[in-house]
Amino acid sequence: MPKVSVLLTSYNHRDFLPLAVESLRAQTFKDFEILALDDGSTDGSREWIAEQPDLIPHFHPKNLGTYGNLNFGIEHSKGEYIAVFNDDDLWGPEKLAQQVQALDSNAKAGLVHTAGWFIDDQGNEIPGAPLGFPWPKTESGDVYLDLMERNKIIASSVMFRRSITEKVGLFEPGFWGCGDWDMWLRIAQVSEVVHIDQPLTFYRVHPNQACRFEDRMNEDGVVIRTKLAKIADEMAKISARHQQAFAHNFACLGTEMMWRGNRAEARRNYLESLRLNPLRFKSILRLVATYVLPTRVFKRLG
């Protein structure tokens, strides 16, 4: 059995696919299988994959979506560890080696992710925040509350234990682009997370990425934050820091509801935020704003 199963998700990135696979072949750690999970490509990706002797191809007759595709890969893979890899991204040669070492040496860790760069079509580093945020990262250890703020883990940088899925389940296939955030939260709730602070993952930025579809990403975010809100009372008992994190979550829901013009629901969530953290000044201001500001003005607050 291979130590690692690499889930290479493929969908209409024929121009980038050979470079992605070449970065897999260049890994210093060699005990891995590559499942090429093509989700209905029509640009020649399937034909190219079929010609590669070291890929295990799976060609779906219809599009399963990102998270249905990953679930299929998990169910058909054999490795002790699972690594996610998008077909337009790249890995540094030491990525798998360092991640395997991190999981092998820490039985409490369920997931390990790495630092990296954003890159352009030619593979050049893009400095700053080309997608509106700098390269995200966490500390190592208990990062559950940190992840509640926002997703801080790039999918192509991740390796996790297969056994962790027995505790938290698989990806939720109904998500558009935040199903990875949902999964990392569930893993972080039951295990430690390790961050390797070295640039080993290179995330390609181009116009057709799911994260650029803001409305659909926001819809996903509301689903995740609503799930978190349902466990707030129980989790907030753990510590003052938990109270603050869940107060922040309710505030984010309040802002999203206000952006949608649902003032009553916005106020309810801001009040829940203040119930958990009465001194949260932003929640006080935004609650007042729901009574005095038009929605278009409120949106400018960010």
Side-chain angles (χ1 to χ4, degrees):
M1 295 293 182
K3 182 76 168 181
V4 177
S5 293
V6 176
L7 307 186
L8 172 63
T9 60
S10 169
Y11 184 65
N12 284 340
H13 288 142
R14 172 64 179 83
D15 291 343
F16 300 130
L17 182 57
L19 295 173
V21 171
E22 193 57 39
S23 77
L24 287 176
R25 292 169 177 157
Q27 292 297 302
T28 59
F29 181 86
K30 300 298 184 182
D31 187 13
F32 64 92
E33 63 177 354
I34 308 170
L35 280 71
L37 308 169
D38 190 88
D39 203 23
S41 293
T42 58
D43 66 345
S45 293
R46 291 185 171 213
E47 291 77 7
W48 186 87
I49 288 170
E51 295 172 353
Q52 310 308 307
D54 53 346
L55 305 186
I56 303 171
H58 292 278
F59 300 130
H60 305 316
K62 63 178 182 178
N63 189 275
L64 299 180
T66 299
Y67 305 110
N69 195 17
L70 286 172
N71 287 344
F72 180 95
I74 294 170
E75 291 166 348
H76 289 78
S77 62
K78 301 175 181 178
E80 177 183 357
Y81 301 150
I82 306 292
V84 178
F85 189 41
N86 296 328
D87 61 351
D88 49 349
D89 296 335
L90 299 172
W91 282 351
E94 288 291 322
K95 179 182 181 291
L96 290 182
Q98 294 205 30
Q99 291 187 300
V100 167
Q101 193 279 330
L103 291 179
D104 280 351
S105 63
N106 184 353
K108 294 181 180 180
L111 179 151
V112 54
H113 66 117
T114 81
W117 303 329
F118 297 110
I119 58 174
D120 62 18
D121 286 358
Q122 286 72 47
N124 300 311
E125 180 182 359
I126 306 174
L131 295 173
F133 53 86
W135 187 276
K137 66 178 182 178
T138 69
E139 301 297 326
S140 291
D142 181 357
V143 303
Y144 178 64
L145 298 183
D146 196 26
L147 281 179
M148 279 182 59
E149 181 181 353
R150 64 181 183 280
N151 189 8
K152 298 182 179 182
I153 299 177
I154 296 289
S156 275
S157 77
V158 164
M159 180 185 289
F160 59 89
R161 297 182 190 276
R162 170 189 298 280
S163 60
I164 205 76
T165 63
E166 297 171 5
K167 295 181 179 179
V168 305
L170 300 178
F171 291 91
E172 290 289 343
F175 283 108
W176 164 256
C178 292
D180 50 337
W181 182 23
D182 174 74
M183 182 67 152
W184 313 153
L185 276 165
R186 285 186 277 132
I187 291 175
Q189 191 172 5
V190 301
S191 74
E192 292 184 359
V193 168
V194 174
H195 178 249
I196 298 174
D197 195 16
Q198 297 182 37
L200 298 171
T201 304
F202 310 105
Y203 181 93
R204 200 179 301 272
V205 176
H206 54 82
N208 296 321
Q209 289 159 311
C211 61
R212 293 187 181 273
F213 292 81
E214 185 175 356
D215 288 346
R216 299 192 72 168
M217 295 293 282
N218 287 342
E219 289 287 341
D220 277 5
V222 168
V223 171
I224 292 171
R225 293 197 179 282
T226 300
K227 287 173 63 176
L228 291 170
K230 291 177 180 179
I231 61 173
D233 283 347
E234 186 63 29
M235 294 293 289
K237 297 175 184 177
I238 297 174
S239 70
R241 187 163 172 256
H242 281 74
Q243 287 183 331
Q244 293 168 5
F246 281 93
H248 170 80
N249 186 69
F250 276 116
C252 290
L253 274 175
T255 297
E256 185 63 38
M257 293 302 105
M258 187 60 181
W259 284 350
R260 297 178 180 194
N262 190 338
R263 291 174 182 267
E265 192 63 18
R267 290 166 189 156
R268 187 188 73 79
N269 279 287
Y270 287 132
L271 287 170
E272 286 294 309
S273 175
L274 291 168
R275 179 176 65 85
L276 292 173
N277 186 1
L279 299 180
R280 194 173 194 278
F281 190 59
K282 282 188 176 181
S283 294
I284 295 172
L285 286 180
R286 289 175 185 268
L287 176 61
V288 172
T290 65
Y291 290 96
V292 299
L293 292 182
T295 301
R296 66 180 184 277
V297 177
F298 187 95
K299 284 185 175 182
R300 294 175 193 165
L301 298 175

